[in-house]
Amino acid sequence: MNGFFGEQTPIRFEGPQTTNPLAFRYYDAEEIVLGKTMSEHLRFAVAYWHSFAWEGGDPFGGSTFERPWFGDTMAHAELKADVAFEMFALLGVPYFCFHDADVRPEGESYSQSVKRLNHMADIFEKKIQQTGVKLLWGTANLFSHARFMAGAATNPDPDVFAYAAATIKANMDVTHRLGGQNYVLWGGREGYETLLNTRMEREFDQLGRMLNLVVDYKYKIGFKGTILLEPKPQEPSKHQYDFDVATVFGFLKKYGLENEIKVNIEVGHAILAGHTFEHEVATATAHDIFGSIDMNRNDYQSGWDTDQFPNNVPEVALAYYHILRNGGFTTGGTNFDAKLRRQSIDPADLLHGHIGAMDTCARGLKAAAALIEEGSYDRFVDARYGDWEGEEAQAMLAGKRSLEQIAQRVEKHKINPQPRSGAQEYLENMINRFV
Ligand code: XUL
Ligand code: CO
């Protein structure tokens, strides 16, 4: 115990009637929902960067948090790891996620940075053994350091591409060693600030090459996890190439990677791209590239990625509906890529943020499961497409009818389709019974 959370004991499930703010009201890890425990369904993870590395700054002011592990020595990094694992245990989350830059101070050279990362991985390995908390995914921070300001894989300087590749290798090694379930690539600088200085076709090919190198290396080291790309349309770059799920799917197809790489979808990124979160999840499941989610929420007035803890049950429920309909998570999970507001400076605020988020997801999951179990919603939507089961419809879909044959049939049978209601209000009311 390092005392950061004082005398706090593990957060327990007390049920919806409790007034204890440091208890779960809906998240009961062992409760069975659709044949699995809530913990197995939701696969919660804490994001190391927001809770332990971020200092509370904004564009108009610096750090507001006082944390005993802020500093650039390895001793600070070790204390940070102690507190992080203490919080994972207090919350009872099964997973965590990290970037290299969150867990170790930058070295003076590539070799020193990797040495420091490996040292922290030794510590994580022991803590994983002691606590049973596992790694959902690892990733490299290829966006904060000035060397990456014009991109990592998409940089005009091939030495930056090489440095980024070497950094990814080191992070994949560590993720593999720690039994990570996935490896994530988020390209905050893979895009441009101005098209005036950018050759887009070259940058696409560079990014395509980097992703192929990553996949080759995954097989080389025998990493069994999933490689995930995380779409985001902009911020920090003016335009990012992994704009949204549909754009990423097209990119993966172009570079022959649609069966190798899946997506990690974040709520706030979906909103920035002009979509709903469930739209992005449904697009990914439709293309069979759904992997994992970064769960948070944006302030819908602000227009940037505010990374707030989720508290919107209907939004979460619709996303889990699409995830459950697709068979649930395999290697993926629910990572809280969410940070405190900069005035929330107390240790307990970290607990409140995560407790509320876990309860919101539990309510959303249970609502989605109830909707599926009750069945009338799915029956309605399936019935809407029911005529496609007919013989002629199946033949058209399978490519067994030409345009002329279809035209002949329409003429011969005097086909004259009548409009049918889409019943949106009926469906909205039906969903509201569950959320
Ligand atoms: C940034 C973001 C990242 C990725 C990992 O918006 O979401 O934290 O999740 O690099
Ligand atoms: Co994210």
Side-chain angles (χ1 to χ4, degrees):
M1 291 289 279
N2 51 68
F4 182 70
F5 291 103
E7 300 298 306
Q8 183 62 48
T9 51
I11 311 301
R12 303 271 173 234
F13 170 72
E14 292 184 8
Q17 73 297 332
T18 188
T19 55
N20 177 3
L22 289 165
F24 295 119
R25 292 195 287 149
Y26 300 94
Y27 179 63
D28 179 0
E30 298 308 320
E31 183 181 335
I32 304 286
V33 175
L34 292 180
K36 282 203 287 196
T37 66
M38 274 213 241
S39 166
E40 288 165 338
H41 271 294
L42 292 161
R43 295 165 61 85
F44 287 136
V46 168
Y48 215 93
W49 51 103
H50 285 314
S51 288
F52 304 106
W54 186 58
E55 297 178 351
D58 73 7
F60 298 88
S63 156
T64 55
F65 301 152
E66 281 179 29
R67 309 290 196 229
W69 59 86
F70 285 169
D72 55 9
T73 70
M74 288 302 282
H76 287 108
E78 288 177 18
L79 175 60
K80 182 171 17 176
D82 287 344
V83 177
F85 273 80
E86 185 180 333
M87 190 177 88
F88 305 156
L90 287 176
L91 291 169
V93 287
Y95 293 102
F96 73 112
C97 301
F98 71 91
H99 306 76
D100 48 359
D102 310 330
V103 303
R104 54 100 185 104
E106 176 89 12
E108 278 168 17
S109 62
Y110 169 77
S111 308
Q112 193 182 29
S113 290
V114 173
K115 209 167 148 204
R116 290 176 172 185
L117 176 65
N118 286 334
H119 174 81
M120 292 311 299
D122 293 342
I123 291 175
F124 286 166
E125 212 167 4
K126 288 198 196 87
K127 288 187 180 294
I128 286 171
Q129 260 167 28
Q130 285 158 8
T131 61
V133 177
K134 297 186 289 280
L135 180 62
L136 186 65
W137 48 264
T139 187
N141 179 324
L142 303 176
F143 43 89
S144 294
H145 195 281
R147 72 171 72 85
F148 299 122
M149 70 181 183
T154 58
N155 203 290
D157 178 352
D159 279 355
V160 178
F161 180 101
Y163 199 101
T167 306
I168 291 173
K169 179 201 171 287
N171 279 277
M172 286 178 75
D173 286 341
V174 158
T175 301
H176 182 41
R177 165 148 77 100
L178 296 177
Q181 309 266 306
N182 309 272
Y183 184 81
V184 165
L185 297 135
W186 172 64
R189 307 273 178 202
E190 312 294 22
Y192 60 77
E193 282 302 303
T194 171
L195 198 51
L196 291 174
N197 66 11
T198 304
R199 289 272 180 259
M200 215 191 256
E201 67 282 10
R202 290 196 69 103
E203 298 203 359
F204 286 172
D205 284 351
Q206 289 173 213
L207 186 55
R209 179 94 305 269
M210 184 69 90
L211 298 181
N212 269 287
L213 287 169
V214 167
V215 169
D216 290 348
Y217 192 63
K218 161 189 158 148
Y219 287 112
K220 171 120 204 266
I221 60 177
F223 177 59
K224 297 279 179 281
T226 311
I227 306 293
L228 300 172
L229 263 191
E230 185 174 326
K232 188 175 184 184
Q234 80 252 353
E235 199 205 10
S237 301
K238 172 189 160 58
H239 176 91
Q240 285 160 214
Y241 299 138
D242 303 327
F243 196 91
D244 60 3
V245 172
T247 311
V248 165
F249 181 68
F251 193 91
L252 293 176
K253 281 267 276 195
K254 177 171 183 196
Y255 292 97
L257 293 166
E258 72 275 19
N259 297 320
E260 300 291 349
I261 296 183
K262 296 189 184 299
V263 283
N264 180 41
I265 306 169
E266 177 163 328
V267 184
H269 299 182
I271 305 305
L272 285 183
H275 302 307
T276 59
F277 183 42
E278 66 269 20
H279 165 92
E280 287 292 77
V281 174
T283 306
T285 60
H287 288 312
D288 201 17
I289 56 167
F290 175 75
S292 199
I293 58 175
D294 271 8
M295 185 55 97
N296 54 27
R297 111 185 105 107
N298 273 7
D299 179 311
Y300 294 110
Q301 277 84 52
S302 76
W304 69 87
D305 189 15
T306 57
D307 282 338
Q308 292 172 243
F309 285 95
N311 71 356
N312 181 337
V313 176
E315 179 176 76
V316 165
L318 288 177
Y320 282 122
Y321 165 77
H322 288 283
I323 293 171
L324 289 176
R325 214 181 140 246
N326 194 50
F329 292 119
T330 51
T331 61
T334 304
N335 171 45
F336 294 118
D337 195 349
K339 60 179 181 257
L340 294 173
R341 299 306 87 191
R342 71 194 290 270
Q343 297 175 51
S344 303
I345 57 178
D346 293 344
D349 292 319
L350 277 171
L351 300 176
H352 292 304
H354 285 94
I355 291 168
M358 291 162 79
D359 267 347
T360 299
C361 291
R363 283 178 80 176
L365 176 83
K366 289 181 79 167
L371 182 69
I372 289 172
E373 266 182 329
E374 198 269 345
S376 16
Y377 169 65
D378 279 319
R379 274 196 299 279
F380 182 92
V381 184
D382 286 343
R384 195 162 174 253
Y385 296 87
D387 289 349
W388 276 99
E389 299 310 319
E391 203 179 314
E392 274 303 314
Q394 285 292 307
M396 284 197 297
L397 198 59
K400 291 182 184 151
R401 296 288 183 270
S402 68
L403 219 50
E404 301 100 290
Q405 286 171 324
I406 296 173
Q408 276 164 12
R409 187 169 63 88
V410 170
E411 245 188 312
K412 187 170 161 211
H413 295 282
K414 298 193 173 44
I415 291 178
N416 181 19
Q418 297 304 304
R420 302 174 194 175
S421 173
Q424 181 170 339
E425 295 76 8
Y426 167 77
L427 292 174
E428 284 168 349
N429 296 349
M430 183 187 275
I431 297 289
N432 276 349
R433 277 170 40 210
F434 296 90
V435 301

